[in-house]
Structure formats: C-alpha cells, structure tokens
Amino acid sequence: MAKVIKIKKGLNIRLQGQAEKILETAPRSEEYALKPPDFHGLFPKMMVKEGDRVKAGTPLFFDKYNEKVVFTAPVSGTYKELVRGAKRRILEVKITPDADTEHHDFKIGSLGDMDRQEVIDKMLESGLWPMIRQRPYSVIAKPDDKPKAIFVSGFNTAPLAPDFDFIVKGQEDQFQKGLDALAKLTDGDVNLSIDAENTQSNAIRNAKGVKVHQFSGPHPAGNIGVQIHHINPINKGDIVWYVDFQDVIIIGRFFEKGIYDPSKIIALTGSEVLNPRYYRVATGAKISDITRDNIRQEEEVNKRFISGDALTGAKVESSGFLGFYDNQVTVIPEGDKPEFMGWLIPSPEKFSVSRTFFSFLMPWKKYRLDTNIRSGERPFVITGIYEKVLPMEIMPMQLIKSIMINDIDMMEKLGIYEVAPEDFALCEFVCPSKIEMQTIIREGLDTMQREFS
Amino acid sequence: MKPLHDLVEKVKPHFEKGGRFEKFYRTFEAFETFLFVPGNVTRRGSHIRDAMDMKRTMVHVIIALMPALLFGIWNVGYQHYKATGVEAEFIDQVVYGLIQVLPIVVVSYISGLAIEFIFATIRNHEVNEGFLVSGMLIPLVIPASTPLWMVSVATIFAVIIGKEVFGGTGMNILNPALLARAFLFFAYPSYLSGEVWIAGTAEQLDGVSGATALAVLAIGEGEMPSALDMFLGTIPGSIGETSTVAILLGAIVLVATGVGSLRIMLSVVAGGLLMGGILNLVAVNEFMEIPPYYHLIMGGFAFGTVYMATDPVSASQTGVGKYIYGLLIGVLTVLIRVVNPAYPEGMMLAILFMNVFAPLIDHYVVQSHIKKRMKRMEKIPAKA
C-alpha cells in the first residue's frame, strides 16, 4: 500500500475555468438523448417505436453485434424521435421526460447472495452493462468474457477534470456497493487507483474488497490505460475491464435500490464559463440546461462546447447532450480567426510544451486556449517529444507509423493492445506536425479488432 | 493588420478552384499562411493544440544560425583583406563579406523555394517549411568564392534528389543541405579544394596560402593556425563553419528551446574526442599527433554537430539510437579526416553516411524494445 507509482512523463495543461466546489441542481431538461456514437463500434437496433412510453430503465435499443447488450432510457417519458446523420447513421435517440421520473423496478435481492451470472444478467437487463468497458480496443465489454482484472481510476488528471473526492461525498455507500458488484465479475483483482497526495476521501482511500494503488505525477497519470500499464499490463490475449468512477456509483445505486438511476455530478468548466461549478444531472441531459446564462457573452468569439475534457471530449452543439461516459462539460473559445504572423509572435497568451514560447517561464499562469490548429498537417519531422508525454513502455511514433502503413504484426509487437485514443491525446496536443493521433490509434484498434473477430 | 488581411481575402478567390490562377493555389496558400496563421479549428481528437508548429520550429533554427552567419560575413571580409594585405576597417570587412555572402543566400533560397513550390503544386500539398532551414544551411557550408550558378545547381539537385523524390520534408533520408555540399564537392572538386577558401584572392595573389587547417594537416605543408584562432573562427573556411564560438551560441539557442537534440550533439563530440584520442595515442603521422580537441574546432566539425547531425528527419529517431548515431558520426569524422587524406573534411561524409544508417540503427533499437516487451509477457502469466 505504501508504494507510490510515480509517473514522471506527462503534462498538465493549465486551463482557465476550474469548477468551484459548489453543487447545483440542474433544471430538468426538456429532452434527453442517448447517443449511439458514444459507444464505439455500436450498431443500434431500435426496440421502441416513436410515441412509446418508457420508464427509466426501459430498453431503447440493443447492439446488433452483441445482442445481449441493451441501452435503456435514463429518465421516464415518451420516446420522441431519432436524429440521423450521414448514411442514416443514428446519432441521437431523444426522449421527452415526464415531470417526475418513474423507475422500472428490477427487483434486486441482496448483492451478497447473487453469483457472477446473476449480477451480469441484472446489469445487462437494466442497461448498466455499457458502463463496463474492456481493453484492448476500448469498447463495451462482452458479457461472456472473463477478464483477468477490473480497473477503476479514483482520480482524474485531465485538464479541468472534476474532483472525485467532491463527487463521492454523500454517495460513499453506493460507491462501495458498486465496487462489491464489480468484485463479483472477476476472479482477479478489482484495482482502484488513487492520487497519492490529493485523494483524501476515506471512501476512496480505504475502499474495501479492492486493491488500492497509489499514483503521483502529471496527466495522464489518471488515465486508466496508464494505470493498467503500471499495475498489470495487457499482453496479447488478455482482456481487462474498466469502469468509470461515477459509473461505479450508478452501479452501486442500482444494487442498493433496484432502479436504474443514471444521475451523476458533472463539472461545468472552461474559460468561457462565468461560474464554473458542479451540477447534478442525469446521463443524456441537455448541455444548455447548465450553460444557459452562464457563458461569457462576446459577439466576436464563437464558443466550442465539449462533452468531456478538452483533450478527448466530443464536440457538441450548444444545444447538444451530455455523453454517456462524460463527467464534465468544457466550454472554450473557437480559434476560427486568422492571426497575423501568429507563428512568429511569441504572445504570452500562448501555451506550449516547447520552450520556444514563454509559457515555460510562467508555471503559475492559467491559459485561455482556443481550438485553432495552428498550421496545417505535416509529415513527422520532430522526434523525441512524444515520448515525453506518454508514460508507458511504448514507442509512440513507431506505433503510429505502423498503424499508418497498416502493419498488423508491428502494431501488435509495439503494444497496440495497451493503448486507447485517450492515451495519445497529449501526443496529439504537442505534435508540431499536427497529426491526428487519436484518430489514427482508433483506426489501428479497429483494424486489429476486425482481424481477430 | 485588417487592410492586409482584407487584401489577402480579396485576391484569394482568384487562386481557389475555378479562379484564374487556380494552378498557383499552393503558392498563394504558402504566402497566406506565412502572413496569417489560418483560422482552421480542430474537429476531432484534442480540441486544443500546442502553439508550436513547423514554421516556429524552423524559425528557431534560423535564429540559431544567425551568429554563424553574421560571423561568417565578417570573416569573409577579414580573410580577404588579410590575404590581400590591404588595411581595412571593420565596416569595410563587413561590407565586403555582405557583397560576397548575400547573393549566395539569395540564390540558395530562390532556387530551392522555386522547386518546393513547383512540387507542392504538382503534388497538391501544402508547401513545407523544411527548406527555410536548408536554404540557410547551404550557403553556410560552402566557401564564399563558390560561383552563384553552382550554388543554384547544387541547391536544385539537393532539393529534388535529396528530398522531393522521397516525398518532401519529413520523408528524406539524407540531409539536403549536406547533399548540396557533397554534390559540389564531387561534381566540381576544383572549386571546393585548394585555394578557394578566401574570396577574391585566387587570381590576384600567388604567395598567399588559403588552405584550411585540415588541408594543412593532410598535405603536410603550410602553417597551422593557433587553437585560439580556430576556436574564434578567424581562419579561412566555409562561410559559416569557422567560428566555434558562434556555433556554440547557436547550440545554446537550439538546446534551450528544445529544438535541437542535445543527445546527438554531445555524442558526436564524445565520438570525435574518443577517436581523436585513440589516434593521438598511436600517432604515426603529423595528423595523428594533434590533440584530440583540435578536431572539434577544425573544419566543419562544430557546425555539422550542431546544425547538421541534429536534423531530426535524417537523424536517428529513437532515444538510444541518437546516442549511437551521434557517437558514430564523431568517430567516423575523425577517422576519415586522419586516415583518408583524399577527403580532409570528414564531417560531411560521416553525417551523410550515418544518415543512411540511421534507419538501421532505429530498426535495432525498435527490435530490442520489442524483445523487452516480449520478456515482460513471459514474466506476467497471461491469465492472472
């Protein structure tokens, strides 16, 4: 327990707009949506018709390739419509909520009496299963697999990430119950990682029935992939499962009350938010509920709304919906204005990991970064910078190149099973050639998945 | 900057699809992005990006080259007046240097960028920034007496054969600037050896030896300059390579900003000292008797170490590989200098040689990395 895994490589990007530790209750949304694109590789098949009444926990659709996995309504109400995108891909499944949420009763007995299969069945039935994800590939776990271990990260180091200590307050029992449920799913360990210095909550630090690992260091120390790599790395043929921190609480709530209640506490963050705070919302809530009247008003500057953090989140409309796995909403300025000689002028407002700007002289300063790419895409030129932000025994540039040339053998040897797009988010951030590394990693994972399924 | 931006926006339609100058879109784009960082935004992946880009990287190399260039300009004038025996003020020396050096720089940039723009247009990709640096490196590694047409031919050769045939910046195997130098060296040997190192003396004077220290040692005639002169750079030689002091200033810029690889620089120096030391122990001829550190301040060693060996594209790309790559450059340079009197300047050939071997070094580094990963796999049972 005393051993601290020290992460040395990495980078904390200092953004403006950290959420204050004040919890607000968001107004009830006028609509909720489940977004199939949140689940990579999902091919949704609808189970309800427009106008159907649904309760919280009623199945809406299932995965064509994984039929046992159903996705259920986060609130009760009326199934309103589908929003489709290019090639008729389903983007949003919208629900108009009732005034009061009516929950489907899943008739849960005592968790202690249930065996592994019963727990899995209940989770599948209630729509909790998509919260269980697996490595390799970073997709929803297959209920028939037996993972060698399960991982939960008890802290988050992403830019402006929410504080799990604050979130768990008042839900400590549910968190523990969720961990107990996870322990039923594997013969191996349930591993919970904590921040050696900053995790104070007793419920996290001294969680029972799990192996607690202490980490310290900059982002991506809080990334599950980095933690798995240092605790029990994935080799070819291994499967591990991982669950998001808040999803553990939701799972615990389910086994406590027998209802699917996916309400969570999210942080509203970013330089464009007037009062960055925490809000209690349900999964699939409309982002405008919490951003309304809380965004800096300037005519000149367009805003980027992100469900998730600024490195890995999904771009959404200001009227868009919260993603299934996301614990924060980030609002930053769009960088859609050209800048005169921008590459030459070392403005103190610019942040760079390299010492060609002045940001390295001001380690206290917080930045209002925008979404400008700064230049077009180039071939790899600079070497040796990606390794500095990837705390894994992996050669990032060589792995990316092996994916680019579709060399499956090489990808495997260089460790593609261990990584997910989010682990390369910092590499993508620092890349002077502006190569879209997260997209490339996802393509590589897709290739491997196709090859072996 | 609004009026300028308005102007750019006004002429833009002519270069876009359907416009009159559609063919020149890439040329226009290069100038547009030079003037204004475009308002392109991220769409997926990381929403925010580091402010660093290729242009800024290259600009820092140019800044790091400035001390060598400025010193070189003065030294060209200084050497000229010294050889001709004419008393001259500092300002005269600089003016003479400018007259000799500036045209070479301009010709190098014009011929190289022309090729870059043509290829960007043919291949329809953005103009790469790589040549901003190559265009400055080429003038600095050749003598000031090189005829301008030769500068142009060498630059065009280097850009086409060194870079564009491989797919442009980032894809090249050899350092383009060194390739230009090597091209001149082998295609026009008489212009790059013997009495060429002092501009404007060849015809006028017979009695003055313009030989470099390396040539003195290789041929065994003439007078060796003092170590201090070689360190300061007040000796004949290629425009930018003579002053170790100026190059050290550049090295500080490169290392401080993180643009140049300190690993490579240190290991090249270590390799040079190592080989110099070994040969010094043997010491069977005059060249071997010189103290090992002489190698660092003679010829193009310092310049090659700081600006050429560190070129990230043609160097080794792995951490460990950089040490091996650098060390071998240092060793080979001294070896070529001392053992093969036909090529007194070993730096250029050593770097080009190691450029070719860098992918091989990387291959073995990656293989050992893979082996390490495999070992780990054995250590941890697949199913815990």
Side-chain angles (χ1 to χ4, degrees):
Chain A
M1 176 74 197
K3 195 181 143 225
V4 177
I5 301 172
K6 288 197 181 85
I7 302 291
K8 295 205 183 76
K9 297 166 171 184
L11 172 69
N12 285 327
I13 302 169
R14 303 180 300 274
L15 296 183
Q16 292 175 7
Q18 187 84 44
E20 247 184 292
K21 285 181 186 157
I22 299 171
L23 182 60
E24 310 248 3
T25 304
R28 204 170 168 72
S29 292
E30 65 237 37
E31 48 183 11
Y32 286 81
L34 219 49
K35 299 187 284 184
D38 285 349
F39 312 97
H40 184 79
L42 169 73
F43 196 102
K45 286 278 178 194
M46 295 306 296
M47 299 166 79
V48 286
K49 288 200 185 68
E50 273 178 36
D52 280 2
R53 298 268 315 142
V54 293
K55 291 182 189 172
T58 305
L60 294 175
F61 54 87
F62 66 94
D63 184 0
K64 185 181 164 188
Y65 299 115
N66 208 352
E67 294 187 3
K68 287 184 197 160
V69 178
V70 299
F71 301 77
T72 56
V75 291
S76 67
T78 315
Y79 164 44
K80 191 178 150 204
E81 59 175 346
L82 282 185
V83 177
R84 287 181 190 271
K87 295 184 183 167
R88 295 187 40 82
R89 186 165 174 242
I90 298 174
L91 298 182
E92 288 168 359
V93 178
K94 284 190 180 171
I95 293 167
T96 314
D98 298 333
D100 292 302
T101 295
E102 197 185 330
H103 292 278
H104 187 282
D105 182 6
F106 289 95
K107 302 197 174 56
I108 292 293
S110 160
L111 178 64
D113 301 335
M114 295 165 85
D115 65 14
R116 177 172 192 261
Q117 198 54 48
E118 280 175 284
V119 172
I120 292 178
D121 289 343
K122 281 292 174 196
M123 289 180 73
L124 282 167
E125 183 193 346
S126 58
L128 288 172
W129 190 259
M131 295 173 182
I132 314 279
R133 284 176 287 174
Q134 68 159 61
R135 293 276 174 108
Y137 310 134
S138 192
V139 291
I140 297 173
K142 293 197 185 70
D144 301 330
D145 285 340
K146 287 208 163 145
K148 76 165 179 175
I150 295 179
F151 293 86
V152 176
S153 176
F155 67 109
N156 192 342
T157 48
L160 305 175
D163 178 11
F164 289 166
D165 273 24
F166 180 72
I167 287 174
V168 82
K169 222 170 271 171
Q171 313 186 89
E172 289 93 346
D173 295 343
Q174 295 175 346
F175 178 65
Q176 183 58 49
K177 193 130 204 170
L179 292 176
D180 294 344
L182 293 180
K184 296 251 174 192
L185 298 180
T186 177
D187 301 332
D189 295 322
V190 175
N191 300 285
L192 174 67
S193 316
I194 62 168
D195 184 324
E197 291 113 50
N198 299 324
T199 302
Q200 300 297 338
S201 164
N202 196 40
I204 306 176
R205 255 197 128 82
N206 298 317
K208 289 173 205 65
V210 297
K211 255 194 180 167
V212 177
H213 304 269
Q214 300 196 50
F215 281 82
S216 73
H219 186 58
N223 272 16
I224 202 80
V226 172
Q227 295 167 0
I228 297 171
H229 180 85
H230 288 275
I231 296 169
N232 188 354
I234 305 164
N235 291 314
K236 191 186 179 185
D238 288 352
I239 290 173
V240 302
W241 288 354
Y242 65 99
V243 186
D244 182 77
F245 184 84
Q246 289 226 53
D247 291 345
V248 176
I249 296 174
I250 295 171
I251 292 168
R253 196 178 294 143
F254 173 79
F255 284 103
E256 184 187 271
K257 297 181 181 166
I259 55 168
Y260 178 61
D261 174 12
S263 67
K264 52 163 104 173
I265 295 168
I266 63 161
L268 175 61
T269 62
S271 59
E272 303 312 285
V273 179
L274 292 174
N275 296 305
R277 285 182 182 168
Y278 288 84
Y279 291 85
R280 179 176 277 283
V281 299
T283 294
K286 209 167 188 162
I287 283 172
S288 52
D289 294 339
I290 56 171
T291 58
R292 193 178 299 135
D293 307 325
N294 201 1
I295 300 293
R296 256 206 239 191
Q297 295 299 327
E298 292 152 310
E299 286 198 2
E300 297 281 288
V301 185
N302 295 321
K303 313 290 179 199
R304 167 75 55 100
F305 291 80
I306 302 161
S307 174
D309 65 70
L311 285 176
T312 61
K315 179 185 174 184
V316 291
E317 299 296 315
S318 60
S319 60
F321 299 90
L322 182 69
F324 188 82
Y325 298 110
D326 296 331
N327 292 318
Q328 81 185 98
V329 169
T330 311
V331 189
I332 54 174
E334 284 281 9
D336 48 4
K337 303 278 185 301
E339 185 194 359
F340 179 68
M341 290 283 185
W343 53 278
L344 189 60
I345 296 160
S347 149
E349 297 308 315
K350 287 176 185 163
F351 179 82
S352 174
V353 63
S354 78
R355 291 179 298 264
T356 57
F357 290 86
F358 296 123
S359 60
F360 78 99
L361 294 173
M362 302 180 284
W364 61 88
K365 189 177 159 82
K366 295 195 165 176
Y367 290 86
R368 184 186 177 203
L369 297 189
D370 62 29
T371 62
N372 194 299
I373 302 178
R374 318 195 178 279
S375 166
E377 192 167 326
R378 300 278 186 274
F380 277 112
V381 170
I382 305 297
T383 58
I385 55 165
Y386 308 107
E387 287 82 354
K388 287 184 189 157
V389 292
L390 184 70
M392 290 178 160
E393 270 292 316
I394 287 204
M395 300 183 120
M397 193 160 143
Q398 282 70 21
L399 178 60
I400 291 279
K401 284 184 173 177
S402 72
I403 297 171
M404 282 171 154
I405 59 169
N406 217 1
D407 183 342
I408 289 168
D409 186 45
M410 205 61 183
M411 283 188 234
E412 196 175 287
K413 284 180 179 163
L414 290 173
I416 189 155
Y417 297 126
E418 293 198 51
V419 302
E422 60 175 27
D423 299 324
F424 274 71
L426 277 175
C427 295
E428 183 173 85
F429 173 81
V430 301
C431 182
S433 296
K434 313 296 170 190
I435 293 168
E436 294 192 331
M437 297 200 170
Q438 296 193 71
T439 312
I440 294 171
I441 290 287
R442 179 45 88 190
E443 282 165 10
L445 291 172
D446 285 348
T447 309
M448 299 310 278
Q449 216 179 348
R450 268 198 307 275
E451 197 69 15
F452 294 106
S453 62
Chain B
M1 283 309 129
K2 190 93 175 63
L4 185 58
H5 187 245
D6 288 344
L7 180 74
V8 171
E9 287 299 316
K10 206 176 124 195
V11 297
K12 195 171 184 175
H14 295 303
F15 292 95
E16 284 175 335
K17 235 184 156 63
R20 255 185 301 171
F21 306 112
E22 189 188 323
K23 281 205 185 96
F24 300 104
Y25 175 68
R26 292 297 171 181
T27 310
F28 169 78
E29 185 192 39
F31 284 108
E32 188 199 4
T33 59
F34 184 82
L35 286 174
F36 296 94
V37 168
N40 296 343
V41 294
T42 52
R43 276 172 304 140
R44 51 191 180 179
S46 181
H47 297 265
I48 48 178
R49 296 297 173 92
D50 195 293
M52 178 81 160
D53 72 347
M54 261 325 108
K55 286 193 180 71
R56 193 158 181 84
T57 312
M58 298 301 170
V59 152
H60 276 82
V61 185
I62 303 266
I63 293 172
L65 280 167
M66 281 304 127
L69 174 72
L70 296 178
F71 183 89
I73 289 173
W74 169 77
N75 191 42
V76 166
Y78 170 76
Q79 293 297 336
H80 169 80
Y81 287 115
K82 190 178 160 200
T84 49
V86 178
E87 284 288 315
E89 298 287 315
F90 174 77
I91 191 77
D92 296 328
Q93 294 162 346
V94 171
V95 168
Y96 184 82
L98 276 175
I99 292 169
Q100 293 293 327
V101 175
L102 265 192
I104 298 182
V105 175
V106 171
V107 165
S108 156
Y109 268 113
I110 289 178
S111 10
L113 285 176
I115 303 290
E116 287 274 349
F117 281 114
I118 290 169
F119 272 87
T121 305
I122 295 173
R123 295 222 185 96
N124 197 25
H125 63 66
E126 281 192 53
V127 175
N128 274 317
E129 290 84 357
F131 192 76
L132 289 180
V133 169
S134 305
M136 183 57 82
L137 284 175
I138 292 172
L140 293 184
V141 292
I142 57 178
S145 60
T146 314
L148 291 180
W149 65 268
M150 230 183 262
V151 175
S152 179
V153 170
T155 306
I156 290 169
F157 175 84
V159 174
I160 293 180
I161 302 297
K163 217 158 70 167
E164 295 302 341
V165 292
F166 296 107
T169 304
M171 315 282 190
N172 47 310
I173 293 171
L174 299 170
N175 181 325
L178 270 182
L179 196 65
R181 171 91 161 60
F183 174 81
L184 286 178
F185 184 81
F186 288 109
Y188 308 102
S190 59
Y191 286 89
L192 264 94
S193 55
E195 312 285 300
V196 300
W197 302 103
I198 300 170
T201 56
E203 296 114 35
Q204 304 156 13
L205 296 153
D206 288 329
V208 176
S209 161
T212 63
L214 285 168
V216 170
L217 284 168
I219 304 162
E221 291 170 12
E223 200 184 330
M224 269 293 281
S226 72
L228 183 67
D229 282 346
M230 291 196 285
F231 183 68
L232 292 176
T234 53
I235 49 170
S238 295
I239 296 170
E241 70 175 20
T242 58
S243 171
T244 314
V245 178
I247 292 163
L248 273 177
L249 283 177
I252 290 169
V253 173
L254 287 180
V255 171
T257 55
V259 172
S261 164
L262 182 63
R263 260 177 221 229
I264 294 180
M265 294 184 203
L266 288 182
S267 45
V268 175
V269 169
L273 287 177
L274 179 77
M275 198 64 215
I278 293 173
L279 292 174
N280 185 253
L281 289 178
V282 181
V284 293
N285 67 21
E286 198 184 345
F287 213 147
M288 289 188 188
E289 277 165 20
I290 61 166
Y293 70 87
Y294 263 47
H295 283 292
L296 309 185
I297 50 181
M298 282 193 308
F301 194 98
F303 192 87
T305 304
V306 173
Y307 303 109
M308 297 292 198
T310 53
D311 169 19
V313 177
S314 55
S316 184
Q317 299 179 343
T318 52
V320 182
K322 282 176 182 157
Y323 286 122
I324 303 171
Y325 166 85
L327 203 70
L328 285 178
I329 287 180
V331 168
L332 276 176
T333 302
V334 174
L335 208 58
I336 296 172
R337 279 181 177 180
V338 177
V339 178
N340 183 350
Y343 301 125
E345 181 47 288
M347 197 62 190
M348 164 188 87
L349 293 171
I351 296 177
L352 284 174
F353 192 70
M354 289 316 296
N355 281 170
V356 176
F357 276 91
L360 188 70
I361 296 173
D362 283 340
H363 173 78
Y364 282 109
V365 173
V366 171
Q367 289 305 319
S368 92
H369 165 80
I370 290 171
K371 225 175 250 164
K372 210 164 125 199
R373 292 185 58 83
M374 293 295 208
K375 257 204 195 121
R376 187 196 74 180
M377 199 164 161
E378 286 159 18
K379 228 171 24 195
I380 301 160
K383 295 269 186 282

